[in-house]
Amino acid sequence: MWGGRFATGPAAIMERINVSIGFDQRLHAHDIRASKAHCAMLVKCGVLSAADGDAIAAGLDQIRDEIVTGRFVFRTELEDIHMNVEARLAEIIGPAAGRLHTARSRNDQVATDFRLWVRDTLDGIDGALKTFQAALLDQAECHAGTVMPGFTHLQAAQPVTFGHHLLAYVEMAGRDRSRFADCRRRLNECPLGAAALAGTSFPIDRAMTAAELGFDRPAANSLDAVSDRDFAMEFLAAAAICAIHLSRLAEEMVLWTSAQFRFIRLSDAFTTGSSIMPQKRNPDAAELTRAKSGRIIGNLNALLVVMKGLPLAYSKDMQDDKEPVFEAADTLELCLAAMTGMIADMTVNADAMLTAAGAGFITATDLADWLVRVLFLPFRQAHHITGRLVKLAESKGCGLDQISLAEMQAEEPGITPAVMDVLGVARSVASRTSFGGTAPVNVAAAVVAARGRFLL
């Protein structure tokens, strides 16, 4: 491969550290596609004869079929996917294969292949996120009126509906899709034709190859074209944030399936048993999703550290850009599939949720709001009165709605029997009709709106 510059081959350890075919063979379809576009452009510009162009295109098609059908033999001594394809092309069509590399370098070649791969992966992840949102919306619609405790600090705070809770994750997934879409838009510039770093003296048409490969435009600067990996880091950043969202939901599902909560049940399809405790049903899919988010965060950190000290243009360090991206993409796609399956699979225990919503003086804020709204007290004063009533209920071992009217009037004489209307969790939830609030009527409308925003 190195022509006349080197008299001997690399040492075995050099070959091991230098080779990338073990992982970059995943780029085969994108490498062949980009090579065919480059070949067609060279023919159009008169750099390559039509006969050579036809032979190269046919040979590349044959190689693609060999790889897809498992007949292609990848050779580690050829280092990477680019040289494996080129060497096989030479075996098929002879010396004309060497003309394909005119006016390009492996630097712009790999940058193009990698962008194409990430772009296709982004499209697949967007589809998976859309399916995830659809599963959440189906459950949210079914449980628009199912009352559960809303938490802050993992302490019961105010009653909400389960549908409202699930819609929060629909919004998170929507932002994830937006971040991935932004990443796709920014990466959609074509490096091909930037060559090693300085461009080429051949009369090529970079706009033609960019258009053929579905890019918006050629990359404007040849140095930046071959050395930029922002798109890979941005992909990993968006993937890490998405994984954190999945991990938060996974953590809630672990809690919700526990005997202490009993909010939901997962079937055998997404749980495992214990080797020693026959009663156990472990939410392992959720736990593993929670764990795998850390690996995706680690992938982002790995690539950031690889890139942080590199001068322009290309350095071989950048060969290590692909494994973190490949692993993160595989892991995220698996986690999205698992979480989508669990959301669709779960059975909701509405009675347990309602019982839990009645604990912890969860309508205390409703009482304070009533004092403000009906008696026109300053909120801080209402807050203090409510706090004293909570303390009284706690000492009596009862709920706020079980304190007598006389006991309430001892703290605030203006309290009337009408206050009891706001102390039930169902009434509390129904009253939260502000935009984005948890009232069942809001949730039902929000489900319809979300389907329009995200699924159409």
Side-chain angles (χ1 to χ4, degrees):
M1 179 170 58
W2 306 119
R5 176 63 181 85
F6 289 78
T8 62
I13 194 67
M14 177 60 190
E15 182 175 301
R16 284 182 60 196
I17 197 172
N18 196 45
V19 70
S20 62
I21 189 60
F23 55 85
D24 70 12
Q25 61 184 264
R26 293 178 68 152
L27 300 175
H28 68 86
H30 307 89
D31 189 70
I32 290 171
R33 181 184 175 192
S35 288
K36 290 187 70 174
H38 183 67
C39 174
M41 180 274 295
L42 292 178
V43 171
K44 182 175 182 294
C45 293
V47 177
L48 195 65
S49 71
D52 283 344
D54 290 342
I56 289 169
L60 290 171
D61 286 341
Q62 180 178 329
I63 292 169
R64 180 191 58 216
D65 292 342
E66 290 176 357
I67 294 174
V68 169
T69 58
R71 293 179 290 122
F72 191 93
V73 178
F74 292 103
R75 295 159 53 189
T76 57
E77 69 271 18
L78 295 173
E79 293 187 9
D80 56 32
I81 186 61
H82 322 297
M83 297 311 301
N84 267 266
V85 169
E86 184 175 321
R88 178 60 181 141
L89 185 63
E91 292 173 353
I92 295 171
I93 69 171
R99 297 190 173 94
L100 175 60
H101 210 53
T102 305
R104 76 173 184 186
S105 160
R106 282 194 297 176
N107 294 354
D108 62 332
Q109 188 178 0
V110 69
T112 303
D113 294 353
F114 198 18
R115 282 177 186 253
L116 289 171
W117 188 92
V118 172
R119 192 177 69 186
D120 285 351
T121 299
L122 286 167
D123 292 342
I125 288 175
D126 183 73
L129 277 166
K130 185 176 180 180
T131 302
F132 174 58
Q133 287 178 303
L136 288 166
L137 286 166
D138 287 345
Q139 289 282 17
E141 183 175 39
C142 290
H143 296 285
T146 300
V147 178
M148 68 175 291
F151 298 93
T152 61
H153 309 277
L154 203 55
Q155 304 295 313
Q158 290 180 279
V160 297
T161 71
F162 190 50
H164 189 62
H165 194 109
L166 295 177
L167 284 175
Y169 287 100
V170 174
E171 294 299 323
M172 292 181 213
R175 293 193 296 274
D176 290 328
R177 292 178 67 187
S178 177
R179 273 183 285 270
F180 284 124
D182 285 345
C183 176
R184 191 191 194 285
R185 176 175 55 81
R186 270 185 288 275
L187 75 75
N188 211 34
E189 297 183 347
C190 185
L192 201 56
L197 75 162
T200 179
S201 59
F202 288 95
I204 63 172
D205 184 350
R206 292 190 59 209
M208 176 181 171
T209 48
E212 175 64 25
L213 295 171
F215 289 107
D216 294 331
R217 64 191 69 84
N221 181 281
S222 60
L223 283 165
D224 181 55
V226 298
S227 63
D228 169 45
R229 292 299 184 272
D230 288 4
F231 66 93
M233 293 184 286
E234 188 173 2
F235 167 77
L236 288 173
I241 295 171
C242 182
I244 287 170
H245 292 156
L246 296 179
S247 182
R248 294 181 73 181
L249 178 55
E251 166 66 8
E252 296 203 294
M253 296 187 81
V254 170
L255 292 172
W256 292 342
T257 56
S258 69
Q260 289 70 30
F261 277 77
R262 296 186 302 110
F263 284 3
I264 66 169
R265 178 182 172 88
L266 295 173
S267 75
D268 294 350
F270 289 96
T271 56
T272 64
S274 165
S275 62
I276 190 172
M277 295 169 284
Q279 83 281 9
K280 294 291 293 299
R281 180 188 291 272
N282 299 322
D284 283 2
E287 292 174 1
L288 288 167
T289 297
R290 186 176 59 186
K292 290 179 185 299
S293 65
R295 292 175 60 179
I296 296 175
I297 294 166
N299 294 138
L300 168 61
N301 192 55
L303 185 54
L304 291 172
V305 173
V306 166
M307 296 299 298
K308 71 175 182 61
L310 298 187
L312 297 180
Y314 182 85
S315 297
K316 197 59 180 274
D317 311 51
M318 292 164 69
Q319 180 170 289
D320 273 9
D321 59 357
K322 294 166 205 65
E323 286 181 288
V325 172
F326 291 162
E327 183 186 22
D330 291 346
T331 302
L332 183 60
E333 288 170 352
L334 177 60
C335 290
L336 276 168
M339 292 305 298
T340 301
M342 283 187 285
I343 290 296
D345 177 75
M346 68 181 178
T347 302
V348 175
N349 186 344
D351 290 340
M353 288 185 176
L354 183 60
T355 299
F361 314 108
I362 202 168
T363 57
T365 303
D366 297 273
L367 174 55
D369 288 346
W370 186 90
L371 293 171
V372 171
R373 186 172 59 253
V374 176
L375 303 185
F376 305 106
L377 298 181
F379 182 79
R380 285 302 168 201
Q381 182 181 352
H383 187 281
H384 292 155
I385 293 169
T386 302
R388 290 195 295 270
L389 290 173
V390 167
K391 186 176 181 180
L392 174 62
E394 192 172 38
S395 69
K396 291 169 64 69
C398 67
L400 279 173
D401 57 345
Q402 295 171 310
I403 299 175
S404 70
L405 180 62
E407 288 171 320
M408 290 188 178
Q409 289 173 336
E411 293 292 344
E412 170 48 57
I415 294 177
T416 70
V419 75
M420 295 301 175
D421 290 341
V422 303
L423 296 183
V425 292
R427 287 182 180 272
S428 171
V429 166
S431 72
R432 306 292 174 178
T433 56
S434 60
F435 181 79
T438 191
V441 65
N442 283 33
V443 175
V447 168
V448 173
R451 283 201 169 104
R453 288 162 58 203
F454 297 123
L455 304 188
L456 296 182

